[in-house]
């Protein structure tokens, strides 16, 4: 199998390069010993290929395989699952590379390499990752082409260019299949969720949680408003509601599910579409208060009594949903005794001064509204809003309220609720996002992690639950203009943006965001729903498998037909040399001449140029002065010293016997005779021009005279 | 095999063909190779993973590879299409030796890679592979052991390729009725030339003096380079051949029916005669050959030698009239 094995050094190096490229993005989440094993296997293989050594014995491979499996078990505490599966696939494929002996092994490695490329998408589906993997597939196909060569070694051009053509020609079919292949709306079987921590809101709040998020530029979700975009101070995106004080922070309590929220609508509806980035939690963000569950959810979403919208499954991929919200509302549900109890409970062992203050405040202000008014003045006059508040001790609220008086939204929300509860007014903490940034290019609102916020809801017997945002008492700018307006730019990028007076960076950032948004909409977020929308845009309603199948078939037929047609056309184009083509044109022109004697002046296949010219001369002697130089030029180009390079090369290689080992490699001189021969090129051009100028009509007239 | 049967049916009355044959569309067959089926299986795995983890880019990858795979069918087909095929020269061999049939593939257009040629008669025939550069031709040599004297028949040839990605196997059949003249296997144990080849008791033919230069005569086609009088040529006396002493003394005949060969079988006699002709030619002894009704007048030289061996090769065989 030596002639077919093709396990040459160059081929092995290509394969190792392809493998390295496809594994590289995985390195960040692979255990170090796995990466080390892979690198070692690759280097060993390279050494084997260089020195033409034997592959390691099977028993050694078996020992290594068992050792790695055991190692993976200790690392992940299991042998099934996504993470451990990817790790094992990578390391086993590297071992396969090490021990491969035949072409069949190589093919296995390359095909599983494609699978490895796919596993990268489990971690990222960004534009960069897509482009990078496209490159990886290119290298893999180039490698595959190299391995298909027999006896001769493929040059880099002979690998890379056909691979590129194959991929480019596959693109029409890829697009057709991507958009028309019937999509399922859920997974085939549910996989154990191994949620990676994604920075974002959490379901508890202690001072410092949200201020750490404020440094993150990551996008939480994007919003497309249908017509009206509300003012910034109206944009409260509700996340987890935290009604229990626990330790220094706040945690949620379980409440009952609802299919509808009960409230009085006091403003026109606001319609919008949220495209939510995966956060591995069940929150579905909406503006207070949403009228109904999204139609797309179909039982996969629900409301909670505290007005949260939730998903049954953690949001582990990009999703989009349509919501209608009423920003002006009055809640209609009565406060049940349990709710009241939950909303008044506090830890009486901590923060004694705060509790005492709350109780005193209640005595002084029997009217809850007056009490809130009083607190507004307190916060507004004496407190400062800062991202870097002083560290607080055990009685954190006491220290904050009476000593440091500097805090971020979680301090204000927490202390505010605690005071109200001590004063006997039901209240709770609400977290979520506040505000948003409009991308002027897409007109889309972008809500980032830095927009994370905490506010409160207070129960008034006549008004129901009412939103009160103590942060706005301290820093109205935060609510009206956003975080950077309130506390200055955060993070290196934002500081750079601030310095960029012309707004170039800002413009770039918005453009990039617009691209990403389209990518999310058409690529990452393209699912069964979007496919249905696409069909509806083309006027096809009630999409079933038959119409999808038909569309798919037609699409493939067109995509394949166009590419196939071009390919066929190219193979049937026998590439004539320019000189021969021009001579044929000249003969065709002469064939149109009718001689006086009525003889046919079509050149016969076996007739040489000299004979042909003689025959023409005997019928049309006047043509000779014009034709003679042309025929001389042709003879010189075709049979003489000025032979065209293509012709000479072709004959030179013609003698090659099939069994000759890699004659391509041992042909460095091939470049020399490929260099354009200037005289030959000039003569060719001159001849072609001469043929073009030759007019039979003109000469026929002259003969008639 | 199914493939074989289809081809048998399609080619049932076609062969032999007149060269050159151009591999046009309807002559080329294509089916997925075993690798191709494996690739399809991998694609299914990719699709399942994409569906299950809702990986949009996974769908892209799967469909890109699916498109690439289907397009590769055209590329594999194209690697054979429009090749022009004609038979090459075949040198005669002795029985038991390997005959090398040759096939010339001429490429009028794009370069072709990893094209294989093999005989279809043998299941595990070792194919020979080669590339055919753009606007050039490559000669493929197809080895085959010539077992018996007569004509070794090459039979139908399969020209195939799996380039560029090996997912499809594309092939075409061709039969030029190529055959290789096979001389009888020389009986190396046949010993020296018989002192009395004729068997008539005349034992004084001076074969010992065969190296002795006698005279010069004009060059005749078929004289070996050893016979040419190079010195005379150098003296510008024209092309002359040397005649040796032994040739003058008597005509030396090898006879199929001679008494010395009576104890041997038909084929053994042919083998023995072949060996003697080789010996005589080596020693430049002019020899004649009698094969019952056929007889070759005594002479030496390549043409005579080939004529005699061909007579031996085809002696007693019922063959259709050859065209060479």
């Amino acid at each position: 199998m030596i002639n077919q094995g093709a396990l040459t050094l160059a081929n092995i190096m290509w394969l190792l390069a392809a493998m390295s490229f496809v594994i590289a993005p995985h390195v960040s989440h692979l255990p170090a010993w796995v990466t080390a094993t892979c690198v070692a296997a690759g280097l060993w293989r390279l050494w084997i290929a260089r020195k033409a050594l034997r592959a390691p014995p099977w028993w050694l491979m078996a020992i290594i395989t068992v050792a790695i499996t055991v190692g993976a078990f200790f690392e992940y505490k299991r042998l099934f699952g996504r993470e451990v599966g990817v790790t094992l696939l990578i390391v086993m494929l590297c071992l396969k590379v090490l021990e491969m002996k035949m072409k069949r092994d190589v093919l296995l490695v390359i095909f599983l390499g494609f699978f490895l490329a796919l596993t990268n998408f489990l971690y990222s589906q960004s534009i960069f990752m897509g482009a990078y993997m496209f490159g990886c597939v290119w290298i893999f196909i180039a490698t595959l082409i190299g391995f298909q060569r027999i006896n001769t070694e493929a040059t880099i051009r002979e690998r890379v260019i056909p691979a590129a053509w194959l991929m480019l020609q596959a693109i029409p079919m890829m697009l057709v299949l991507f958009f028309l292949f019937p999509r399922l709306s859920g997974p085939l079987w549910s996989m154990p969720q191994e949620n990676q921590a994604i920075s974002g809101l959490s379901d508890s709040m202690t001072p410092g949680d949200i201020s750490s998020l404020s440094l993150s530029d990551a996008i939480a979700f994007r919003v497309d408003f249908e017509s009206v975009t509300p003012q910034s101070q109206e944009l409260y995106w509700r996340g987890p509601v935290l009604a229990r004080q626990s330790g220094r922070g706040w945690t949620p309590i379980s409440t009952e599910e609802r299919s509808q929220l009960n409230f009085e609508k006091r403003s026109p509806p606001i319609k919008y579409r949220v495209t939510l980035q995966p956060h591995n939690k069940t929150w579905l963000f909406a503006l207070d208060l949403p009228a109904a569950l999204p139609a797309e959810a179909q039982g996969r979403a629900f409301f909670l009594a505290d007005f949260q919208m939730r998903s049954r499954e953690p949001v582990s991929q990009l999703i989009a949903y349509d919501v209608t919200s009423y920003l002006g509302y009055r809640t209609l549900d009565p406060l049940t005794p349990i709710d009241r109890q939950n909303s008044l409970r506090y830890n009486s062992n901590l923060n004694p001064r705060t509790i005492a203050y709350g109780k005193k405040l209640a005595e002084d202000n029997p009217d809850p509204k007056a009490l809130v008014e009083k607190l507004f003045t307190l916060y507004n006059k004496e407190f400062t809003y800062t991202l870097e508040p002083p560290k607080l001790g055990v009685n954190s609220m006491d220290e904050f309220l009476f000593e440091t008086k500097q805090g971020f939204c979680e301090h204000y929300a927490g202390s505010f609720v605690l005071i109200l509860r001590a004063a006997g007014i039901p209240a709770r903490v609400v977290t979520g996002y506040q505000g948003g940034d409009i991308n002027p290019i897409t007109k889309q609102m972008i809500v980032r992690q830095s927009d994370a916020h905490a506010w409160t809801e207070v129960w008034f017997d006549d008004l129901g639950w009412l939103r009160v945002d103590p942060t706005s008492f301290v820093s109205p700018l935060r609510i009206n203009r956003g975080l950077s307006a309130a506390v200055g730019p955060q993070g290196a990028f934002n500081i750079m943006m601030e310095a960029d007076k012309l707004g170039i960076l800002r413009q770039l950032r918005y453009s990039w965001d617009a691209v990403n948004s389209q990518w999310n909409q058409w690529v990452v977020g393209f699912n069964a729903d979007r496919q249905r929308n696409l069909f509806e845009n083309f006027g096809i309603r009630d999409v079933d498998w038959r119409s999808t199948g038909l569309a798919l078939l037609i699409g493939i037929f067109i995509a394949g037909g166009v590419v196939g047609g071009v390919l066929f056309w190219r193979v049937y184009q026998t590439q004539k040399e320019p000189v021969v083509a021009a001579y044929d044109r000249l003969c065709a022109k002469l064939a149109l001449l009718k001689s006086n004697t009525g003889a046919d002046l079509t050149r016969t296949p076996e007739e040489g140029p000299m004979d042909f010219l003689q025959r023409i001369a005997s019928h049309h002697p006047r043509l000779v002065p014009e034709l003679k130089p042309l025929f001389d030029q042709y003879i010189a180009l075709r049979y003489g010293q000025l032979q065209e390079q293509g012709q000479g090369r072709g004959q030179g290689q013609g003698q090659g016997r099939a069994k000759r080992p890699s004659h391509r490699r041992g042909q460095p001189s091939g470049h020399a005779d490929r260099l354009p021969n200037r005289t030959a090129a000039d003569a060719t051009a001159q001849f072609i021009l001469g043929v073009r100028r030759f007019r039979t009509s003109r000469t026929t007239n002259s003969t008639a005279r | 095999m199914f493939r074989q049967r289809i081809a048998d049916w399609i080619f049932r009355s076609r062969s032999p063909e007149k060269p050159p044959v151009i591999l046009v569309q309807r002559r080329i067959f294509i089916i997925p190779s075993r690798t191709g089926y494996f690739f399809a299986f991998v694609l299914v795995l990719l699709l399942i993973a994409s569906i299950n983890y809702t990986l949009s880019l996974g769908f892209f990858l799967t469909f890109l590879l699916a498109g690439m795979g289907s397009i590769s069918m055209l590329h594999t087909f194209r690697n054979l299409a429009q090749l022009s095929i004609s038979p090459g020269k075949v040198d005669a061999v002795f029985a038991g030796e390997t005959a090398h049939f040759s096939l010339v593939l001429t490429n009028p257009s794009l370069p072709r890679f990893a094209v294989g040629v093999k005989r279809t008669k043998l299941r595990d025939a070792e194919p020979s592979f080669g590339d055919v550069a753009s606007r050039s031709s490559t000669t493929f040599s197809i080895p085959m052991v010539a077992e018996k004297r007569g004509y070794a028949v090459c039979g139908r040839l399969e020209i195939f390729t799996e380039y560029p990605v090996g997912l499809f196997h594309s092939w075409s059949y061709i039969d030029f009725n190529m055959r290789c003249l096979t001389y009888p296997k020389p009986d190396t144990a046949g010993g020296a030339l018989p002192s009395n080849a004729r068997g008539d008791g005349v034992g004084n033919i001076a074969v010992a003096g065969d190296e002795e230069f006698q005279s010069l005569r004009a060059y005749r086609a078929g004289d070996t380079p050893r016979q040419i009088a190079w010195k005379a040529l150098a003296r510008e006396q024209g092309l002359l051949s040397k005649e040796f002493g032994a040739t003058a003394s008597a005509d030396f005949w090898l006879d199929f029916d001679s008494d010395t060969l009576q104890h041997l079988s038909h084929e053994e006699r042919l083998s023995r005669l072949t060996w003697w002709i080789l010996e005589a030619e080596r020693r430049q002894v002019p020899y004649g050959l009698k094969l019952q009704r056929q007889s070759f007048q005594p002479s030496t030289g390549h043409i005579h030698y080939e004529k005699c061996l061909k007579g031996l090769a085809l002696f007693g065989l019922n063959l259709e009239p050859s065209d060479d």
Side-chain angles (χ1 to χ4, degrees):
Chain A
M1 294 300 274
I2 283 163
N3 64 337
Q4 281 200 56
L7 293 179
T8 59
L9 182 61
N11 279 344
I12 295 286
M13 275 163 69
W14 271 85
L15 186 64
L16 289 175
M19 293 289 290
S20 314
F21 277 113
V22 86
I23 292 173
H26 278 298
V27 169
S28 63
H29 54 82
L30 283 179
W33 63 269
V34 170
T35 314
T37 310
C38 293
V39 171
L43 291 177
W44 191 354
R45 176 72 235 194
L46 200 60
W47 190 48
I48 287 173
R50 276 191 78 102
K51 306 276 177 183
L53 303 173
R54 295 173 67 91
W58 68 268
W59 53 264
L60 183 60
M61 296 308 294
I63 291 171
I64 296 174
T65 309
V66 170
I68 282 167
T69 314
V70 171
F73 183 75
F74 278 105
E75 187 78 37
Y76 295 94
K77 307 286 176 263
R78 54 155 120 196
L79 278 181
F80 295 98
R82 210 171 71 180
E83 290 279 326
V84 69
V86 169
T87 305
L88 283 177
L89 179 66
I90 289 172
V91 71
M92 293 303 165
L93 214 48
C94 287
L95 291 182
K96 185 74 202 166
V97 169
L98 178 54
E99 67 111 43
M100 64 191 178
K101 296 182 194 75
M102 282 183 291
K103 201 165 157 184
R104 212 178 49 203
D105 301 329
V106 175
L107 295 174
L108 181 83
V109 170
I110 291 176
F111 292 169
L112 290 182
F114 291 139
F115 201 86
L116 216 50
L118 181 118
T119 59
N120 276 310
F121 300 142
L122 291 168
Y123 299 92
S124 165
Q125 297 204 68
S126 66
I127 297 179
F128 287 127
M129 184 57 93
Y132 183 79
M133 280 302 131
F134 195 83
C136 285
V137 170
W138 188 10
I139 301 175
F140 266 113
I141 295 177
T143 309
L144 185 57
I145 289 174
F147 275 104
Q148 291 299 331
R149 287 286 289 269
I150 300 166
N151 299 336
T152 54
E153 188 88 82
T155 61
I156 293 174
R157 277 175 66 90
E158 283 167 356
R159 291 169 201 266
V160 169
I161 291 174
W165 276 116
L166 272 172
M167 285 175 80
L168 288 177
Q169 287 159 356
I171 284 175
M173 210 174 283
M174 173 186 82
L175 293 176
V176 166
L177 281 165
F178 182 80
F179 289 112
L180 300 183
F181 187 84
R183 294 301 184 88
L184 300 179
S185 46
L188 295 175
W189 64 86
S190 61
M191 308 297 281
Q193 287 288 338
E194 292 170 64
N195 293 335
Q196 300 132 290
I198 295 175
S199 93
L201 282 181
S202 69
D203 50 10
S204 68
M205 184 191 80
T206 41
D209 281 354
I210 292 178
S211 48
S212 70
L213 269 185
S214 65
L215 295 172
S216 165
D217 254 345
I219 290 168
F221 50 92
R222 291 182 168 89
V223 189
D224 294 283
F225 287 100
E226 193 163 275
S227 48
V228 198
T229 305
Q231 295 291 304
S232 179
Q233 62 267 27
E234 295 175 308
L235 294 168
Y236 280 86
W237 308 95
R238 184 181 290 253
V241 176
L242 311 172
R244 176 183 290 136
Q245 192 198 10
S246 68
R248 298 172 59 211
W250 295 82
T251 52
I253 52 171
S254 55
T255 48
E256 57 194 284
E257 267 183 36
R258 297 281 167 84
S259 59
Q260 191 83 41
L261 294 179
N262 189 15
F263 63 93
E264 185 192 319
K265 296 156 187 165
R266 289 185 158 185
S267 68
I270 301 284
K271 289 188 176 176
Y272 54 96
R273 181 179 182 82
V274 177
T275 310
L276 182 59
Q277 295 285 338
H279 55 50
N280 283 339
K281 299 281 171 38
T282 57
W283 310 313
L284 300 175
F285 297 96
L287 284 174
D288 280 346
L289 283 174
L293 289 167
E296 298 92 333
Q298 293 166 337
R300 284 177 280 148
F302 58 94
F303 285 122
L304 287 175
D306 55 14
F307 317 128
Q308 290 185 64
M309 192 160 76
R310 293 288 194 106
S311 152
R312 297 215 181 275
E313 297 288 326
V315 179
S316 56
Q317 16 167 312
L318 193 87
I319 57 164
Y321 48 88
D322 290 307
V323 198
T324 303
S325 285
Y326 294 86
L327 304 187
Y329 58 90
R330 189 170 80 92
T331 63
L332 295 173
D333 283 330
L335 190 70
T336 61
I338 299 167
D339 284 344
R340 179 175 288 276
Q341 213 181 351
N342 282 336
S343 312
L344 284 172
R345 188 179 293 156
Y346 56 89
N347 189 339
S348 50
N349 300 327
L350 290 172
N351 303 310
R353 289 174 73 187
T354 310
I355 292 159
Y357 176 73
K359 282 180 175 158
K360 183 171 176 296
L361 215 54
E363 280 167 24
D364 297 347
N365 304 281
D367 178 22
K369 280 170 204 142
L371 193 150
V372 170
E373 204 88 4
K374 184 96 188 174
L375 279 175
F376 170 80
T377 331
L378 171 78
Y379 281 127
N380 187 263
K381 290 224 169 103
E382 296 179 33
F383 284 73
T384 41
Y385 182 69
T386 172
L387 258 178
E388 283 141 356
K391 285 247 184 295
L392 301 173
V394 182
N395 291 315
S396 52
M397 288 301 106
D398 278 4
E399 286 174 37
F400 165 65
L401 280 174
F402 303 106
E403 285 159 32
T404 63
K405 303 199 176 187
Q406 292 177 34
F408 198 57
C409 60
E410 62 253 51
H411 298 85
Y412 294 102
S415 60
F416 187 73
V417 171
L418 187 60
I419 295 168
L420 287 188
R421 286 188 176 189
I425 302 169
R428 62 195 183 196
V429 174
V430 183
T431 57
Y433 297 89
Q434 201 283 321
D437 185 17
I438 298 279
N439 183 336
I441 296 166
T442 54
K443 310 289 177 219
Q444 203 174 32
M445 177 169 283
I446 306 156
V447 179
R448 300 175 190 278
Q449 294 300 346
S450 53
D451 294 318
H453 190 51
W455 60 94
T456 70
E457 267 183 324
V458 184
W459 176 264
F460 297 101
D461 289 327
D462 51 342
L463 296 171
W465 284 106
L466 194 73
R467 179 174 63 228
V468 180
D469 188 351
T471 306
S472 69
F473 302 168
V474 189
S475 170
L477 265 180
R478 164 65 186 89
I479 309 306
N480 296 327
R481 301 264 314 278
L483 184 67
S484 32
V487 294
Q490 299 301 318
F493 186 77
N494 284 332
I495 290 165
M496 257 162 64
M497 292 246 297
E498 209 63 24
D500 171 37
K501 293 293 175 221
L502 292 172
I504 294 167
L505 270 178
R506 197 177 297 273
Q507 198 62 30
L508 276 177
R509 190 196 203 191
Y510 282 133
S511 310
W512 177 237
D513 182 75
V515 171
N516 264 312
S517 168
Q518 290 298 310
W519 175 260
N520 279 341
Q521 189 175 352
W522 287 103
V523 180
V524 180
F526 191 84
N527 54 16
D529 293 333
R530 289 210 59 91
Q531 191 173 43
R532 197 168 39 243
N533 289 345
L534 186 72
F535 275 101
E536 278 167 8
N537 286 348
F538 282 100
I540 307 167
R541 309 223 165 251
D542 306 322
V543 186
D544 61 354
W545 63 268
R546 246 178 279 133
S547 47
T548 329
L550 189 68
L552 189 62
L553 276 180
I554 293 171
I556 291 175
F557 203 75
I558 294 171
V562 168
V563 173
V566 172
L567 284 175
F568 270 95
W569 179 72
R570 282 208 50 199
V571 81
Y572 283 104
Q573 268 214 315
T574 45
Q575 302 157 339
K576 260 187 205 162
E577 287 162 59
V579 173
V580 179
Y583 180 65
D584 285 349
R585 273 201 303 281
L586 179 62
C587 293
K589 280 180 181 176
L590 290 169
L592 295 173
L593 288 173
K594 278 274 172 264
S595 76
N596 303 336
T597 51
D600 187 13
L601 282 183
T602 313
R603 182 171 63 100
T604 54
E606 69 280 352
E607 202 166 21
M610 289 200 201
D611 297 337
F612 186 41
L613 183 62
Q614 221 153 31
R615 196 154 65 91
I616 295 168
S618 64
H619 293 292
H620 296 277
R622 280 163 190 257
L623 279 179
V624 175
E626 200 177 353
L627 280 176
K628 180 79 169 105
L630 277 178
F631 272 76
D632 283 348
Q633 268 175 342
Y634 173 68
I635 291 164
L637 280 168
R638 191 88 175 109
Y639 308 102
Q641 296 288 306
L642 291 174
Q643 206 173 62
E644 249 222 325
Q645 352 116 5
Q647 179 72 8
R649 247 186 89 221
Q651 282 169 353
Q653 289 195 340
Q655 271 88 44
R657 275 186 91 93
K659 283 275 182 181
R660 198 167 59 179
S662 71
H663 69 280
R664 303 211 135 251
R665 264 190 127 193
Q667 212 185 24
S669 61
H671 286 287
D673 56 44
R674 228 178 288 168
L675 283 174
N677 183 333
R678 185 165 285 274
T679 15
D682 285 350
T684 307
Q686 209 184 339
F687 173 66
I688 292 170
L689 197 68
V691 170
R692 199 171 296 157
R693 286 206 185 122
F694 179 77
R695 289 269 178 283
T696 45
S697 54
R698 185 183 67 218
T699 40
T700 323
N701 290 343
S702 67
T703 15
R705 255 185 271 132
Chain B
M1 227 185 343
F2 185 56
R3 223 212 288 169
Q4 190 80 50
R5 244 184 295 153
I6 298 179
D8 282 344
W9 176 75
I10 287 167
F11 283 94
R12 62 199 183 282
S13 62
R14 278 258 199 88
S15 65
E17 296 168 278
K18 281 225 159 38
V21 166
I22 291 172
L23 295 185
V24 290
Q25 202 175 321
R26 68 194 159 82
R27 293 188 68 117
I28 300 173
F29 307 87
I30 189 158
I31 56 161
S33 63
R34 212 181 303 168
T35 312
Y37 287 115
F38 178 56
F39 182 71
F41 174 70
V42 172
L43 284 184
V44 171
L45 288 186
L46 286 172
L47 186 64
I48 290 173
S50 304
I51 291 174
N52 214 44
Y53 290 105
T54 356
L55 297 175
S56 276
L57 288 184
F59 280 110
F60 259 119
L61 176 68
T62 310
F63 297 145
L64 175 71
L65 291 175
M68 191 278 296
S70 7
I71 292 296
S72 82
M73 179 170 80
L74 291 167
H75 285 258
T76 307
F77 165 85
R78 210 171 65 149
N79 203 32
L80 287 189
Q82 292 298 98
L83 279 179
S84 160
I85 299 172
S86 41
K89 194 166 142 279
V90 192
D91 294 325
V93 293
F94 291 98
E97 287 182 352
T98 305
H100 288 277
F101 296 100
S102 60
L103 207 61
V104 184
L105 272 64
T106 307
N107 176 10
S109 53
L110 311 149
R112 319 300 174 103
F113 297 106
V115 177
V117 175
K118 69 173 183 193
R119 295 171 58 227
T120 56
K121 267 190 184 167
L122 258 71
R123 185 100 317 170
D124 302 316
E126 183 75 12
S128 63
F129 289 100
D131 302 337
V132 195
S134 178
R135 276 188 272 152
S136 81
S137 48
T138 301
T139 306
F140 286 72
S141 166
I142 304 114
M144 177 188 142
V145 176
E147 268 150 13
K148 286 188 298 188
R149 72 180 175 93
Y151 282 113
V153 179
C154 179
R156 193 164 61 188
L157 289 171
E158 183 182 329
I159 298 157
F160 64 94
T161 189
E162 294 190 355
Y163 191 80
V165 282
L167 304 181
F168 287 90
H169 182 92
S170 175
W171 78 99
S172 183
Y173 291 115
I174 204 148
D175 192 351
F176 288 127
N177 197 22
M178 279 197 286
R179 43 189 203 172
C180 175
L181 182 62
T182 311
Y183 305 138
K185 188 183 170 90
D187 179 7
T188 44
L193 290 174
S195 53
N196 181 359
R198 237 179 157 171
D200 57 3
V202 188
N204 56 353
I205 296 169
V207 273
D210 57 0
E211 301 285 290
E212 224 167 89
F213 169 70
Q214 187 84 11
S215 61
L216 286 172
R217 62 163 168 78
Y219 173 81
R220 284 200 297 257
D223 288 344
T224 61
R226 278 184 58 189
Q227 278 177 276
I228 291 171
W230 295 107
K231 279 179 190 160
L233 187 66
R235 287 195 295 267
E236 299 189 351
Q237 292 175 342
L239 200 54
L240 299 173
S241 288
K242 289 183 256 185
E243 284 205 295
F244 295 93
T247 54
S249 53
D251 282 346
F252 173 57
W253 284 92
L254 296 166
D255 190 350
F256 181 76
D257 292 318
S258 77
D259 298 337
T260 45
L261 298 175
Q262 284 305 323
H263 65 285
L264 294 172
S265 76
H266 191 87
E267 293 299 318
E268 280 168 343
R269 283 191 220 180
L270 292 172
S271 282
R272 181 69 57 86
L273 288 171
T274 306
W275 170 249
W276 282 340
I277 287 174
L278 284 176
E279 274 293 293
E281 188 63 33
R282 191 175 65 78
R283 304 167 81 175
Q284 293 295 311
V285 181
Y287 54 92
L289 177 66
K290 276 191 181 164
L291 290 170
Q292 296 175 340
R293 267 165 296 166
Q294 251 181 318
S295 83
F296 301 88
Q297 287 304 311
S299 173
T300 55
H302 206 71
I303 290 176
H304 176 64
Y305 159 85
E306 282 184 349
K307 260 189 207 161
C308 295
L309 286 179
K310 186 175 179 183
L312 287 169
L314 303 180
F315 178 65
L317 295 179
N318 220 351
L319 293 166
E320 72 258 44
S322 72
D323 44 9
D324 47 17

